[in-house]
Amino acid sequence: MTDTKKSPEISNLSRRTVLAGGAALSASLFAPKMLRAQDFPTDVVNTTGLAVTDTTVTCGILHSITGTMAISETGSVQAEKLAIEQINAQGGILGRKIEFIQEDGASDWPTFAEKAKKLLVQDKVASVMGCWTSASRKAVLPVFEQYNGFLYYPTFYEGLEQSPNVIYTGQEATQQIIAGLDWVNQTKGAKTFYLLGSDYIWPRTSNKIARKHIENFMDGCKVVGEEYYPLGHTQFNSVINKIRLRKPDVIYAIVVGGSNVAFYKQLTAAGIDPTEESPIVLTISVTEDEIRGIGGENIDGAYACMKYFQSLENENNQAFVKAFKEMWGDEIVIGDVTQAAYLGPWLWKAAVEQAGSFDIDKVREASPGIELTSAPEGYVKVHENHHLWSKTRVGRAKADGQYEVVFETADLVEPDPFPEGYQ
């Protein structure tokens, strides 16, 4: 399906925490910066034949709106459309209103690659906001590198990647996996872990990193089980029985998409109550978006390690949540990846205006050092490795479907997609 639309009028837990500073372009999400298109002639700002006119610029939106991943990716689409609407209300980018072409990856990795090629080759979009799973990102990456496209990828992921054609607006492993394991070990005294995931690259690689950290960097800790299940899997009673027999201190769950609904409901039905913390349930894949399907009563008491929760109490987030609900309805919820997706169009706008051009090579060169001072999660900054400096947070799920923040790093955590000792 193609939707072509004209937009409407961690403290001491991390070994690499510093407060990012220095000279950089600061982009406020809510303070307009009006630029006139006539001051930026099209033949100057678009020398490579992108979909840029004197009045508009076209980007792509590429997510799953059908299939098992739709439960997770719908929020990303909504966030990106909100950001585009707000940017257009401020005058667009270099005086040009943003139009978008939306494609459905349909929870199928070859489809993602096919649609990415269409957006870049046929539609000649100036950037793409897209993907969720690492499998979809890996599928489109050769396409973006071959045709020199530029992707803003919003999902927390396993790291071990750095592309000149991608800006990673979610967390990588050192900002989420390692930090979360250190937190549960240091604050809860957890020593034994059962690793559980969906069967594709992100959960498997993330658990590979988790196992190395548990066995090599956490004194006296060990993994007592590790299981994987296909995307869309709904029968978890067998592994739940194994968990009950092995009695781990922590169920470390990286189940994604619709499978989360079955897993947490079956966990509850089996008498495992996260509120009792025996075992502790720690996830890096369940945001508020997934809880809507799971039901807050089925995950109440579980912990999640993310960089953003809807419940964050700061003015930036309050304005974001208000605008999001006004656009998509009062019953809507906002998860970590949704917020990271919202950052994509704003980072693109800031980089284009820093470069004074939509040309991909110039936008790439201008991206490191870009700041967003009004990001809903707080201040963020683009690192030279194309990932973001961000804080790490741990939240505890509540029956109302929200998370209570129980920990956050004092400073931003520097992204390190290739941590030594975890390759």
Side-chain angles (χ1 to χ4, degrees):
M1 174 180 177
T2 300
D3 178 12
T4 305
K5 177 179 172 100
K6 291 188 177 180
S7 49
E9 302 282 346
I10 153 149
S11 183
N12 64 335
L13 294 186
S14 171
R15 295 177 295 279
R16 303 193 66 179
T17 58
V18 301
L19 182 61
L25 176 68
S26 178
S28 171
L29 301 185
F30 303 106
K33 180 179 180 181
M34 303 296 289
L35 297 175
R36 302 185 310 167
Q38 54 264 44
D39 295 330
F40 299 92
T42 301
D43 60 352
V44 174
V45 301
N46 178 30
T47 69
T48 60
L50 298 172
V52 180
T53 72
D54 291 344
T55 57
T56 65
V57 56
T58 303
C59 72
I61 292 177
L62 177 57
H63 290 287
S64 297
I65 57 172
T66 58
T68 189
M69 292 309 303
I71 187 177
S72 299
E73 296 192 59
T74 298
S76 297
V77 175
Q78 293 170 330
E80 288 153 4
K81 290 180 178 179
L82 172 60
I84 288 169
E85 181 178 89
Q86 292 177 330
I87 291 169
N88 283 342
Q90 296 183 7
I93 304 178
L94 296 183
R96 291 161 173 83
K97 296 297 180 69
I98 304 171
E99 297 180 357
F100 61 81
I101 298 172
Q102 182 178 336
E103 295 289 352
D104 181 11
S107 305
D108 178 70
W109 322 141
T111 298
F112 267 95
E114 173 191 337
K115 297 299 186 180
K117 184 175 180 179
K118 174 190 174 291
L119 288 169
L120 298 181
V121 177
Q122 179 178 321
D123 302 316
K124 300 187 182 304
V125 296
S127 68
V128 176
M129 316 297 154
C131 300
W132 200 102
T133 65
S134 285
S136 64
R137 189 193 69 257
K138 291 290 189 185
V140 305
L141 187 59
V143 179
F144 277 87
E145 293 182 343
Q146 179 180 354
Y147 296 103
N148 199 28
F150 212 55
L151 173 68
Y152 288 85
Y153 175 69
T155 314
F156 37 73
Y157 86 114
E158 68 279 1
L160 307 180
E161 181 180 296
Q162 180 180 337
S163 171
N165 295 85
V166 182
I167 297 293
Y168 306 81
T169 65
Q171 293 170 296
E172 46 73 40
T174 65
Q175 296 170 310
Q176 186 184 35
I177 299 168
I178 294 171
L181 291 171
D182 283 346
W183 175 83
V184 76
N185 171 247
Q186 294 175 16
T187 64
K188 302 294 183 179
K191 295 290 187 181
T192 57
F193 298 78
Y194 201 109
L195 310 182
L196 181 67
S198 296
D199 193 7
Y200 72 100
I201 185 172
W202 177 58
R204 281 190 174 274
T205 306
S206 295
N207 276 338
K208 179 180 178 182
I209 292 169
R211 179 182 281 274
K212 285 190 175 183
H213 189 67
I214 291 165
E215 295 178 344
N216 298 338
F217 298 98
M218 295 168 60
D219 290 343
C221 295
K222 64 180 179 179
V223 174
V224 296
E226 186 171 352
E227 303 273 349
Y228 298 93
Y229 295 90
L231 284 169
H233 187 78
T234 59
Q235 299 299 321
F236 291 95
N237 290 320
S238 175
V239 71
I240 290 171
N241 286 335
K242 292 179 183 178
I243 290 169
R244 295 182 68 175
L245 286 171
R246 297 184 188 180
K247 301 184 186 323
D249 296 331
V250 176
I251 302 172
Y252 192 68
I254 318 181
V255 177
V256 305
S259 295
N260 278 302
V261 178
F263 174 66
Y264 286 96
K265 285 185 175 181
Q266 289 166 24
L267 204 63
T268 299
I272 296 178
D273 183 356
T275 62
E276 296 178 359
E277 298 191 358
S278 182
I280 296 165
V281 178
L282 176 61
T283 177
I284 60 171
S285 61
V286 176
T287 75
E288 292 87 338
D289 293 298
E290 286 79 19
I291 292 179
R292 288 188 76 188
I294 294 167
E297 70 279 7
N298 294 309
I299 198 171
D300 184 20
Y303 292 95
C305 185
M306 310 277 177
K307 67 173 182 172
Y308 171 85
F309 297 103
Q310 183 181 318
S311 59
L312 289 182
E313 296 180 356
N314 65 65
E315 291 183 2
N316 299 344
N317 189 47
Q318 290 169 358
F320 168 59
V321 172
K322 181 175 183 292
F324 200 93
K325 288 179 175 289
E326 286 177 351
M327 186 168 185
W328 299 109
D330 287 338
E331 300 304 312
I332 206 75
V333 296
I334 305 167
D336 180 280
V337 183
T338 298
Q339 189 266 169
Y342 178 72
L343 303 181
W346 290 102
L347 291 167
W348 177 46
K349 169 183 167 67
V352 169
E353 294 182 349
Q354 173 81 332
S357 174
F358 290 100
D359 291 353
I360 301 301
D361 291 342
K362 294 176 181 177
V363 173
R364 175 190 301 113
E365 184 178 351
S367 290
I370 293 292
E371 301 172 312
L372 293 182
T373 60
S374 300
E377 67 181 88
Y379 170 89
V380 298
K381 179 180 176 180
V382 181
H383 195 280
E384 290 180 0
N385 60 31
H386 282 201
H387 296 70
L388 299 187
W389 297 77
S390 295
K391 287 190 173 184
T392 295
R393 297 177 170 95
V394 176
R396 193 176 194 198
K398 301 191 300 181
D400 65 2
Q402 290 293 309
Y403 282 99
E404 175 189 5
V405 179
V406 298
F407 168 79
E408 71 173 35
T409 53
D411 299 323
L412 302 181
V413 181
E414 182 179 8
D416 181 8
F418 296 97
E420 187 176 351
Y422 294 87
Q423 309 300 314

